[in-house]
Amino acid sequence: MSTLVIVGAQWGDEGKGKIVDFLTEKCDYVVRFQGGCNAGHTVVVGDEKYVLHLIPSGILHKGKKCIIGNGVVLDPSGLLKEIDTLLSKGVEIDNSLYIAKHCHLIMPYHIAIEEQAEKKKKIGTTKKGIGPCYTDKIARNGVRAVDLLYPEILRNKIKVNLEIINFLLKNLYDAKELEEEKIFEQYMDYSEKLKKYIFDTDILINKAIDSGKNVLFEGAQGTLLDIDHGTYPYVTSSNTIAGGACTGTGVSPIKIDKILGIVKAYTTRVGEGPFPTEIKDSLGEEIRKKGGEYGATTGRPRRCGWLDFVGLRHALRVNGFTGIAITKLDILDGMDKIKVCVGYKYGNTILEEFPKEIEILQNCIPIYEELPGWSEKTAGIRDYEKLPRNAQKYLQFIEDSLNVKIQIISTGQKRDEIIIKETPL
Ligand code: IMP
C-alpha cells in the first residue's frame, strides 16, 4: 500500500497533469483535494489532447476510481461539460467518478460577484467563482453537493444567500440581480444528472487505504498560490500545499507516505502578483512560445522567468517533498546560458528566505548564478545518461541546492517522454 500526494512547487502550471497521468498506472484511486475549474490539466494520450479542469486525470485510465474530494469547489455546469466531452471520446465515467457529499458547489452568484469584485480590486482571478465559493464555505453559507439531494434545503439556501448577493449586486455594484427560481431549477437539473456520483468519499478513500490500495492525491495550482503560504493576496483561495490533501479528503496525515513536488525547469505565473525572476525582455516571450505558456483555463499568456531557489526552498519546507519531478526540461534546449536565482537582494540586505511581506517581495532583486546551456535536444529522451552533459549539470545543481532527490524528469508532452530515475510510489 502506498499513498502519494502530488503538488505544484511554484505558481501552478508545472505540468502536474502529465505526471499524475503517468503515475496513475500504478494506482487504484486518484483524488482531487482542492481548487475547482480554475485549474487546467493538459494530458496528451496518443494523438488526443485532453484538458481536464475538475475530474482527476486518472479518468483517462480504465478502471481507476477518481474522486472529487470535499476540499474542491465544484461547478456543476463545468463538470457536466467535462463529462460530456470525455464520454464523446469514449472515456468511461460511471463506476469511476465519485463526488464528495461535502464538497461545496459554485453557484451563479459566486461568478457574478467575482466579476464585479475583480473590477474594483484586480487579483487576476480565473473568474470561475472560486474565491466567493470558498468565502461562503468559511462563512458557513455554502451550498454542498449533498444539498442537491434535498430540494427544500437547496431552495432555502439559495433564497437566503440571494438576499445578500442581490443587495450587493444592486446597491454596491449597480449590476443585474439574479433570480432564485431560475437558479433552483438549474440546480435541480444538475441534481438529476449528478446524484449518482455523490458519495461519502472520506469513507471510500480510507477504506481503500486500509485495504492496501495505492492512492494518489492530485493537487491543483501551486505552493506559491496557497491561501496561507503563498504570495497573499495574489493567491487562490484554497490550501494548495500537501497538507491540503488531508483536510480536503478526510485522510489523516499519518496515512500519507510520500509527497512529490512538481517543479517546472523554469518558472511561470499567470495573473497579478510579485514574480522576482520574471524575464521581461524577448527571451520571456521566446520561452512562452516554445513552452506553450498560455493558460489552459483562460488562455491568458503566462509570465515566464528563471528558476527561483528562494521560492523552491520555501515550497520544500511547507510541503515536505520526499522527491521532486522536473518538467519541461526540453523547453530550455538551445539556450546559451541558464540563470538560477539563489537569493534575493532587498535594499542592502541579502535574503535567503521567501519574505511573507508582499511589499518586500515586490521589491526584491534576484541574485543569479549562471549555468551553461546545451545545444543538443533533450526532447523525448528516456534515459538519464543520454541527456546532454550540461543538462545533467543543471539537474544536479537543482538537486544539490535543494537537497532533494529528482525522481522524474519530463522531456516532452507525450506519456512516454519521461525519465524515471526512481519511482515515487
Ligand atoms: P482564482 O483561483 O481563480 O481565484 O485565481 C487566483 C489566482 O490564482 C490568479 O492569479 C490565477 O491566475 C491563479 N490561478 C488559479 N488557478 C490556476 C492554475 O491552475 N494555474 C495557474 N494559476 C492559477
Side-chain angles (χ1 to χ4, degrees):
M1 178 282 277
S2 195
T3 53
L4 173 72
V5 178
I6 297 189
V7 289
Q10 294 147 314
W11 277 288
D13 310 314
E14 294 91 353
K16 294 177 289 294
K18 178 186 162 177
I19 307 293
V20 170
D21 175 65
F22 181 81
L23 292 171
T24 296
E25 200 75 62
K26 290 192 167 61
C27 292
D28 307 292
Y29 285 69
V30 185
V31 191
R32 261 289 294 275
F33 58 86
Q34 45 72 228
C37 52
N38 48 351
H41 290 166
T42 308
V43 183
V44 178
V45 184
D47 293 330
E48 196 78 71
K49 187 174 172 180
Y50 298 86
V51 181
L52 297 164
H53 300 283
L54 269 169
I55 302 180
S57 29
I59 202 79
L60 304 176
H61 294 253
K62 224 175 165 177
K64 310 286 176 184
K65 306 279 185 205
C66 292
I67 298 178
I68 296 179
N70 58 275
V72 171
V73 283
L74 188 156
D75 183 340
S77 79
L79 177 64
L80 285 166
K81 268 190 214 131
E82 213 163 305
I83 291 176
D84 282 348
T85 310
L86 289 170
L87 286 175
S88 73
K89 292 184 177 182
V91 177
E92 252 176 53
I93 306 283
D94 287 3
N95 300 317
S96 288
L97 180 66
Y98 301 84
I99 299 169
K101 271 187 181 169
H102 49 332
C103 85
H104 282 247
L105 299 185
I106 294 188
M107 307 297 289
Y109 48 80
H110 293 139
I111 298 169
I113 279 287
E114 185 164 53
E115 264 171 19
Q116 300 303 326
E118 272 285 302
K119 284 185 199 158
K120 293 216 175 226
K121 183 185 178 200
K122 198 166 159 62
I123 297 286
T125 73
T126 56
K127 295 197 188 145
K128 299 285 179 187
I130 306 292
C133 185
Y134 279 117
T135 304
D136 271 358
K137 172 178 173 173
I138 301 301
R140 293 160 294 187
N141 294 326
V143 176
R144 305 190 297 172
V146 66
D147 298 330
L148 292 179
L149 310 180
Y150 300 93
E152 279 322 301
I153 294 179
L154 177 69
R155 181 188 281 283
N156 192 46
K157 282 192 174 182
I158 295 172
K159 182 176 182 295
V160 171
N161 286 339
L162 271 188
E163 275 170 20
I164 305 168
I165 297 285
N166 277 339
F167 179 84
L168 291 177
L169 286 174
K170 187 174 169 210
N171 298 305
L172 181 65
Y173 296 121
D174 198 18
K176 205 168 156 241
E177 291 168 86
L178 299 174
E179 288 168 42
E180 178 193 320
E181 195 55 30
K182 212 166 147 189
I183 299 176
F184 177 69
E185 292 296 326
Q186 192 181 18
Y187 276 66
M188 284 319 293
D189 181 45
Y190 297 150
S191 166
E192 253 337 284
K193 292 174 177 149
L194 293 176
K195 63 182 171 197
K196 61 182 168 185
Y197 303 116
I198 299 173
F199 272 79
D200 282 311
T201 52
D202 52 330
I203 299 176
L204 203 65
I205 304 165
N206 277 288
K207 275 192 179 158
I209 297 173
D210 295 345
S211 65
K213 304 278 189 215
N214 284 337
V215 181
L216 195 156
F217 297 89
E218 173 182 358
Q221 291 87 42
T223 300
L224 300 178
L225 287 174
D226 184 279
I227 184 78
D228 287 289
H229 301 282
T231 48
Y232 192 89
Y234 300 101
V235 290
T236 192
S237 299
S238 61
N239 282 118
T240 59
I241 62 165
C246 294
T247 53
T249 62
V251 168
S252 159
I254 59 168
K255 287 190 180 170
I256 304 294
D257 296 316
K258 301 274 166 58
I259 299 163
L260 181 70
I262 313 296
V263 179
K264 185 147 60 181
Y266 49 96
T267 313
T268 58
R269 163 158 220 176
V270 59
E272 307 295 309
F275 179 1
T277 63
E278 182 170 10
I279 306 171
K280 292 194 171 143
D281 59 20
S282 59
L283 184 60
E285 179 60 26
E286 209 181 290
I287 296 174
R288 184 176 309 125
K289 282 210 177 108
K290 205 169 157 195
E293 297 295 354
Y294 300 89
T297 302
T298 58
R300 288 180 291 176
R302 296 179 186 142
R303 299 150 70 190
C304 297
W306 300 112
L307 209 55
D308 181 348
F309 286 125
V310 186
L312 287 174
R313 277 197 298 271
H314 168 69
L316 192 69
R317 185 178 317 110
V318 296
N319 287 290
F321 299 142
T322 50
I324 59 171
I326 301 290
T327 59
K328 296 188 116 170
L329 182 68
D330 54 301
I331 304 305
L332 300 181
D333 291 357
M335 277 198 182
D336 199 24
K337 287 200 172 97
I338 297 173
K339 287 188 190 178
V340 286
C341 168
V342 292
Y344 295 153
K345 195 160 184 284
Y346 176 66
N348 293 325
T349 328
I350 306 290
L351 300 181
E352 286 181 359
E353 302 298 355
F354 203 67
K356 303 282 180 299
E357 302 88 334
I358 207 77
E359 298 73 19
I360 295 184
L361 189 62
Q362 256 152 358
N363 292 299
C364 279
I365 315 272
I367 303 168
Y368 286 118
E369 273 195 33
E370 262 186 16
L371 301 180
W374 52 90
S375 52
E376 308 92 318
K377 273 192 175 169
T378 65
I381 289 183
R382 306 189 55 193
D383 181 354
Y384 186 81
E385 299 312 319
K386 292 198 176 136
L387 285 176
R389 190 79 202 102
N390 284 346
Q392 289 186 11
K393 278 191 185 159
Y394 183 58
L395 295 170
Q396 193 61 53
F397 188 87
I398 297 173
E399 260 195 358
D400 294 345
S401 308
L402 297 176
N403 195 21
V404 65
K405 276 253 169 71
I406 296 177
Q407 297 179 309
I408 296 179
I409 300 144
S410 167
T411 55
Q413 269 202 322
K414 300 215 173 98
R415 258 186 188 164
D416 60 353
E417 292 175 329
I418 201 160
I419 300 169
I420 308 293
K421 286 185 81 190
E422 192 180 287
T423 175
L425 266 162

